[in-house]
Amino acid sequence: MGALMVWTDPSLKELGATENFGLDLEADLVPDDQDKSNDFVATLPMDVRLAANSAVFMDGTQWGGLVQGRASDTDVPGVLEWRGRTWLGVLADRVLLPNSGQAAYTSSGTVAECIADLVSRLGLSTLFAAGECPTLVISYTHKRYPTGMDALYDMLASADLKPVFEAVQDGGLKVLVGAEEIATATEAVDGEHVSMSMQREFTPYNHLVGLGEGEGTARIVQHWYADADGNVSQVKTITGLAERTYRYDYPNADAEELAEYSARKLEEFQGQGSVDVTLPDGSKLRLGDMVRAYDPRIDESVTARVTKCVVKVNNGIEECAWSAE
């Protein structure tokens, strides 16, 4: 039996499944446009009818989402296109609010408890639940007003973990959000064996000027620096033409907040470059993992974080194009 596309009603009760489907899905941790990212198009037979906020998902995979639109094309008879938001898109459409009187929300407890609490605070417990997780205890103060997607990934990354999504059917659809250690893929990403492009970054931003609250000469100003190994501190080690400076404007931040978020922002720039690689069905990569790509033609390698995946399924063949930066 090939891959199955399963669909539900708006209450998430399963209605049917078929092998006759197509899928074009994008999952993106750093979208350029939140409204146009983390969506999908599922092509299903004409006799399948779905309602708003019903769910579709590929059985046994991490791919699926909520239906939010429909389209038809007379040049493609016999099928309808159903469009919607992926699991990540659903999370990205919520904002994590702090408790009253607090600047930001802090998650604390076991990993599973923190995931369950986060899902509850986002108002998404009808769809998501905590899955299998390491028995670690974490305490993490979130950024101010992050999206649910950013909150989940950043919280788990603080413990060197990434989320793992699994759609299960237990009297109705539930998307379990588990956690696993961040892995580094090496063997599969070799320019001699797969289609790959990569960009090596020689000089990322290494000096950040953080601007906080206040006006004129009373405004809070901080300087943060990264060294050649990507370590961030307030000690300057790179000078001359190798210095690159980034202006970070956070006008409502006090000194403590500015220090925290300025350091985080500069750390985000410390990647080695970017990698785009197309891997066949069966790849075990997940968003949040690391890839170490090597091109023997130039004897160069790049290690980068997996931030995007475009999934296409046609005639039962699944292909995933991964991007890392």
Side-chain angles (χ1 to χ4, degrees):
M1 179 182 291
L4 282 176
M5 175 66 78
V6 182
W7 62 91
T8 77
D9 64 14
S11 69
L12 304 181
K13 301 292 186 182
E14 180 182 349
L15 292 181
T18 182
E19 295 182 6
N20 183 21
F21 73 95
L23 181 66
D24 190 343
L25 177 149
E26 177 188 282
D28 195 346
L29 297 184
V30 286
D32 294 327
D33 185 339
Q34 179 177 323
D35 187 50
K36 297 180 180 179
S37 299
N38 290 309
D39 53 13
F40 69 86
V41 177
T43 306
L44 293 168
M46 283 288 294
D47 60 349
V48 175
R49 289 292 186 268
L50 305 179
N53 294 314
S54 56
V56 296
F57 61 94
M58 277 181 65
D59 193 33
T61 77
Q62 57 188 308
W63 311 124
L66 295 184
V67 173
Q68 296 179 331
R70 179 178 64 195
S72 63
D73 187 340
T74 56
D75 291 333
V76 187
V79 298
L80 283 176
E81 289 185 349
W82 301 90
R83 301 169 180 268
R85 303 288 280 161
T86 65
W87 310 139
L88 288 188
V90 175
L91 288 165
D93 282 347
R94 300 296 174 101
V95 173
L96 179 63
L97 304 177
N99 291 329
S100 178
Q102 295 183 347
Y105 184 68
T106 297
S107 293
S108 60
T110 65
V111 176
E113 289 170 344
C114 288
I115 291 175
D117 178 65
L118 179 61
V119 166
S120 176
R121 289 187 69 86
L122 295 171
L124 294 172
S125 296
T126 56
L127 177 63
F128 297 104
E132 185 175 346
C133 299
T135 56
L136 299 176
V137 174
I138 59 176
S139 180
Y140 177 75
T141 299
H142 295 270
K143 299 175 183 177
R144 297 186 69 185
Y145 301 98
T147 68
M149 179 183 72
D150 289 342
L152 175 65
Y153 273 86
D154 290 347
M155 177 183 74
L156 294 181
S158 71
D160 295 321
L161 300 172
K162 69 191 179 238
V164 177
F165 297 90
E166 180 187 9
V168 298
Q169 301 169 65
D170 183 15
L173 170 66
K174 209 71 168 178
V175 180
L176 300 183
V177 184
E180 293 179 354
E181 289 186 9
I182 294 173
T184 299
T186 55
E187 295 179 359
V189 190
D190 185 324
E192 289 185 326
H193 302 106
V194 298
S195 174
M196 179 191 75
S197 66
M198 72 181 194
Q199 176 177 308
R200 186 71 161 90
E201 181 63 62
F202 290 142
T203 312
Y205 283 111
N206 46 53
H207 177 190
L208 182 143
V209 179
L211 304 174
E213 64 184 3
E215 299 289 339
T217 58
R219 188 165 193 190
I220 299 173
V221 180
Q222 297 179 358
H223 293 265
W224 290 86
Y225 305 96
D227 63 20
D229 295 321
N231 300 309
V232 172
S233 70
Q234 289 189 287
V235 178
K236 185 173 185 176
T237 59
I238 298 176
T239 59
L241 295 179
E243 182 177 356
R244 292 186 65 198
T245 306
Y246 183 86
R247 182 180 186 271
Y248 181 57
D249 198 340
Y250 195 166
N252 296 321
D254 59 22
E256 184 178 353
E257 283 182 307
L258 185 63
E260 178 183 354
Y261 293 114
S262 293
R264 285 187 187 181
K265 186 65 177 178
L266 188 54
E267 287 171 352
E268 293 176 2
F269 291 124
Q270 301 313 302
Q272 296 180 354
S274 61
V275 179
D276 292 314
V277 58
T278 299
L279 298 175
D281 181 16
S283 168
K284 294 183 180 180
L285 277 178
R286 294 186 186 273
L287 296 177
D289 278 335
M290 306 295 290
V291 293
R292 184 175 297 117
Y294 174 70
D295 190 338
R297 299 171 302 168
I298 57 175
D299 192 27
E300 186 70 85
S301 64
V302 167
T303 299
R305 179 181 181 235
V306 178
T307 59
K308 183 176 181 178
C309 182
V310 175
V311 181
K312 294 183 183 293
V313 181
N314 289 295
N315 299 319
I317 299 174
E318 177 185 344
E319 187 175 82
C320 301
W322 301 87
S323 299
E325 61 182 42

